[in-house]
Amino acid sequence: MHWGHGLVARRRVSEPEWTPPPVEQLQVLRRQIAAAVDKGEQLKAQTYAETDGAWGAWDSNLGDLVEKACGPRSAQATSFHYSTGIFGGGPDRHRYYSESEYESALVAWRNESISKKSAAARGALEAIDLDLERRGATPAAMTLAARDFSFITSVPLRAIVERDYDELKRSTGTTVKAASLLAGSVIEGVLIDALGQKGFAPKQLDGMRFVDLINKAAAAKVIGDRTQKAAHAVRDTRNFVHPAVELREGRLRKVDADAAIALMQMVLEDAS
C-alpha cells in the first residue's frame, strides 16, 4: 500500500498539476489556436511533398496549444489527440499502381487527418469562449479559417460562395444580420452544388426551402445526422433580408448569427 502511494507521489512530481491560464493568456492562446486552424486549411491546399513534415509540426503545435488552454487531461485535449484514432499511419504504397495514385491517396489521408484535428480544435475554442464568459471576460470575436472550395464543381456557384465566405470572414463579430445572411448563403450554395452532383436537377433545387435543402442533403448523405439535427434548431435567415419578416418574427440577434455560422462550419466539414 505504501509502495503504491510512493508511485502516485512520484507521478505527481513528474507531472505537475495543470493550472488554468489567466484571462489574458487564455485570450492569446485562443487567437493562436484559431490561427493554427486557419493554417491547417492552407496546408490542405498544398501537395503532400510541399507539406512533408510541416503538417506533423502543425499537429504537435496545435495539440500543445489546446493542452495549455484547456489542460493536458481535459476532454478537449483528449478529443484532439484521439481524433484520428489511437494508431497513426497512412495509405499502403503497395495498393497503388502509380505514384500519382499514391500521391492522391496521401493527400486525401493528410487532409482528412487535418480536418479531424481542426474540428477537435474548434471544440476547444468553444470551450475557451464559455470559460471566458464564465469568468466575466468578453470572449474573443469568432474567427473563421481560410477555406478551399474546390470541392464545389459549379464554377459560377463556387465564385459566389467564395465571395460570401470572404465577406463573412471580415464581418464576423461586428455584424448580426449580414453575418446571418452570408452564412446562410454559403450553406445554400454548398448544398445546391452537392445535391446537383447527386443528380438533382436545377429546377428541383431552385427556390427549395432551407429545411428541404437540409433534409435532402441528409438523405443523400451529403451531411450527417448531427448536422441535420443542428440545422432544425437554426432559423432560416434568408427571408430576413426583408424588414417586414424581421418585424413579424422578431429581430435577429447575435446568437442567431453565431448559430448560423456554427451550422455553416458543420455543413462545410461534412460536404468537403
Side-chain angles (χ1 to χ4, degrees), residues 6-265:
L7 284 178
V8 172
R10 284 195 293 274
R11 189 177 297 117
R12 286 174 179 170
V13 170
S14 61
E15 298 179 13
E17 184 177 352
W18 174 77
T19 302
V23 166
E24 295 79 7
Q25 184 181 354
L26 188 57
Q27 289 172 328
V28 171
L29 287 168
R30 192 205 183 284
R31 288 195 296 271
Q32 291 175 334
I33 292 171
V37 170
D38 187 83
K39 175 65 175 178
E41 293 301 319
Q42 296 173 26
L43 291 174
K44 287 166 64 176
Q46 300 178 29
T47 66
Y48 189 82
E50 289 174 330
T51 61
D52 187 21
W55 72 281
W58 168 86
D59 180 0
S60 298
N61 176 61
L62 185 52
D64 184 57
L65 290 172
V66 171
E67 286 189 1
K68 288 180 179 179
C70 303
R73 297 186 182 181
S74 64
Q76 292 75 29
T78 301
S79 176
F80 180 85
H81 291 305
Y82 291 101
S83 59
T84 54
I86 297 176
F87 302 105
D92 184 356
R93 174 65 183 89
H94 298 91
R95 295 179 57 189
Y96 301 92
Y97 294 105
S98 67
E99 285 298 327
S100 61
E101 289 181 341
Y102 182 52
E103 167 75 13
S104 296
L106 282 172
V107 169
W109 167 70
R110 177 203 64 192
N111 288 359
E112 182 181 7
S113 298
I114 291 176
S115 293
K116 289 179 178 178
K117 294 288 187 181
S118 294
R122 291 190 185 99
L125 289 175
E126 293 176 6
I128 290 170
D129 284 346
L130 289 173
D131 188 30
L132 287 171
E133 184 177 4
R134 179 182 59 80
R135 296 201 219 176
T138 302
M142 183 184 296
T143 57
L144 295 178
R147 286 277 182 178
D148 177 13
F149 289 98
S150 59
F151 64 90
I152 298 179
T153 58
S154 169
V155 175
L157 188 57
R158 186 194 310 150
I160 292 172
V161 171
E162 288 176 336
R163 179 204 64 195
D164 288 353
Y165 188 82
D166 183 62
E167 291 185 6
L168 178 59
K169 282 187 67 177
R170 289 185 275 114
S171 63
T172 300
T174 60
T175 66
V176 172
K177 188 168 185 175
S180 299
L181 294 174
L182 288 167
S185 177
V186 172
I187 293 171
E188 184 175 348
V190 169
L191 294 185
I192 286 175
D193 183 79
L195 290 173
Q197 294 182 50
K198 294 288 186 178
F200 284 79
K203 287 185 178 180
Q204 291 177 278
L205 300 170
D206 186 31
M208 188 178 287
R209 296 184 307 159
F210 179 77
V211 64
D212 293 328
L213 273 176
I214 290 293
N215 290 338
K216 295 293 185 184
K221 304 301 181 183
V222 173
I223 60 174
D225 293 340
R226 184 179 176 187
T227 303
Q228 182 186 20
K229 291 177 182 178
H232 290 316
V234 176
R235 303 170 77 178
D236 180 0
T237 59
R238 292 178 300 177
N239 290 331
F240 280 81
V241 68
H242 305 293
V245 174
E246 197 166 0
L247 284 173
R248 182 176 67 249
E249 298 191 17
R251 294 188 62 181
L252 284 170
R253 304 158 299 171
K254 184 179 182 300
V255 67
D256 295 313
D258 290 345
I261 293 170
L263 176 62
M264 178 198 70
Q265 292 174 323

